[in-house]
Amino acid sequence: MIEPMQCTGYLMRLLALYHIISFISFSRAEARIRHYKWEVNYGFQSPDRYKKLAITINGRTPGPKILAQQGDTIVVELKNNLFTENVAIHWHGIRQIGTPWSDGAGGVTQCPIQPGESFIYKFVVDRAGTYIYHGHYGMQREAGLYGSIIVSLPNGVSEPFSYDSDRTILLNDWFHKGTDEQVIGLSSIPFVFVGEPQSLLINGRGKYNCSLLNTPSSEPGLCNATNPECSPYVLTVVPGKIYRLRLGSLTALSALSFEIEDHEMTVVEADGSYVEPFVTRNLYIYSGETYSVLVKAKQNSSRNYWISANVVSRKPSTPTGLAIFNYYPNHPQKPPKTLPPAGPLWNDTKSRLAQSLAFKARQGFINTPPLSSDRVIVLLNTQNKIDGYYKWSLNNLSFTYPTTPYLIALKNNLTDAFDRRPPPDRYDFANYDIYSVAKNVNATYSNRIYRLKFNSTVDIILQNANTMTLNHSETHPWHLHGHEFWVLGYGLGKYNMSSDWRKYNLFNPIMKNTVPLHPYGWTALRFRADNPGVWAFHCHIESHFYMGMTVVFEEGIDKVGKLPSSIMGCGETRNPYI
């Protein structure tokens, strides 16, 4: 006999499935193929007045915006003109169902694109929403290789909220030191950290104080305070209209607080999923996250207002990132006469945790998670030293890439391509003190991966701890490729295996692809291992990712179709008979 509550849940899932099938059928009827031809180059750019070498797409950073409709096929023909560097681009938030080789994770799903060569990415955007793309080889995202993907609903299908127009806003932090120099510092003894960014960019524009470059040896024209390309981004609005702002964070290091002076924002979307609307004055946004907020232009239209981005979770030394919220018909370059919003306290962890807990799935669009999982993997996030080098580790394993990408190695049964031993699902709960600087004497390098049973339900519990610095724990935004997951809960302190699972939200959890892990806290998520392929799960901070803060999941590799030859050409795949 089916209980009433179970019956209700069953009917909701049935309706949701019907809704999805209707969308897919509709999308197939309307779907188009959208072609893009990109060339990746180095070029001198001055996004914050300071001239430096950046990676561009067709001469631009941020790169071109991809505009598509749900169900469309995206074809990006990419040529690598860097000549001395490989390239790979990840389509962040696109699940790559049926096309795992187009995920763009160099070393995981493909051999990176070699200098002078071209590669064709081809995939379907199966869900409407706000997404991003970025470099996924080395630290190229930080060098300017990024952009936005906007996927609209099929014709005749409406959003569950109304607005008059939408705008895309990309947030980034900007370093004057080149990524090669940063990588050398991260890989050296003594360790040299990347430091704090010099600027925060809003839609690729910032404002560095050129007077800080007061050395006589400074290159002429290195910093041009009058460069018109560095004028603040201007968002022009018409009084009384409602605007959907599609926000995306591509920061290499910084967690941010975003706000518009004297205006409230209603949050309605997160990582492509509808949010039960809530109003806020400032939105915390972590690297890899995307949001949609609604803003009504209802303030005094005789003046303009600041749009600001401020660093949180790290003691800030970077100036506020600024743009202008311009009320038409004011002059768009007319700066507000007020001081920019200072933002919340940088170390107010409780405020950030409270906002994380505020996200719920929107009524009518709730995808109820399974009530239990088949496997629980607990990942202890620690900073370690291995042979004197600073590394980040999960359960004392610091990730290193094999020479042959996992997708290719597994599909072709190349048994010697990586360590086949399973990594640990747990750490030593009883004896590990997350508040102390632990010696972590058993930390080691690893290219082992988690093999998941296809269609199983998996729980991931991320546990934060102290770094190698006393009384210091960092914020880590974790991103899962190939999936979206239910965010079941957050907490401060050490996760309690016997009781904290009782705090999970199993009624209306939000689904995301990127989630923050707060200092000295834990984050719990659940996903279905139902997308055949090999998928990276990693911290989205560039330096942390480079220093080993990654795991890899395999699921249903036998169900993956024939691999295209274009992803081959490195490691054991140099064999022409493979």
Side-chain angles (χ1 to χ4, degrees), residues 263-294:
H263 289 73
E264 293 180 331
M265 298 178 287
T266 302
V267 185
V268 293
E269 179 213 350
D271 291 357
S273 295
Y274 293 131
V275 172
E276 186 64 23
F278 69 91
V279 177
T280 184
R281 280 298 182 102
N282 71 282
L283 177 67
Y284 295 114
I285 182 168
Y286 305 90
S287 179
E289 289 190 315
T290 60
Y291 291 103
S292 285
V293 298
L294 303 181

Side-chain angles (χ1 to χ4, degrees), residues 7 73-74 90 126 160 164 174 203-204 237 260 275 319 327 343 356 373 375 398 448 458 484 489 570 574:
C7 185
T73 297
I74 304 299
H90 170 53
D126 62 304
D164 298 296
W174 195 247
N203 276 355
V237 298
I260 303 172
V275 172
Y327 272 83
S356 293
S373 64
R375 184 175 180 181
S398 184
R448 295 188 260 174
V458 181
E484 55 184 356
C570 59
R574 292 182 186 277

Side-chain angles (χ1 to χ4, degrees), residues 11 120 125 134 174-175 182-183 195 235 279 282 334 339-340 401 483 491 515 521 548:
L11 288 174
I120 295 176
V125 287
H134 56 80
W174 195 247
F175 295 78
Q182 291 188 23
V183 164
L235 195 161
V279 177
N282 71 282
K334 180 181 178 182
L339 292 174
Y401 286 100
H483 301 79
V515 66

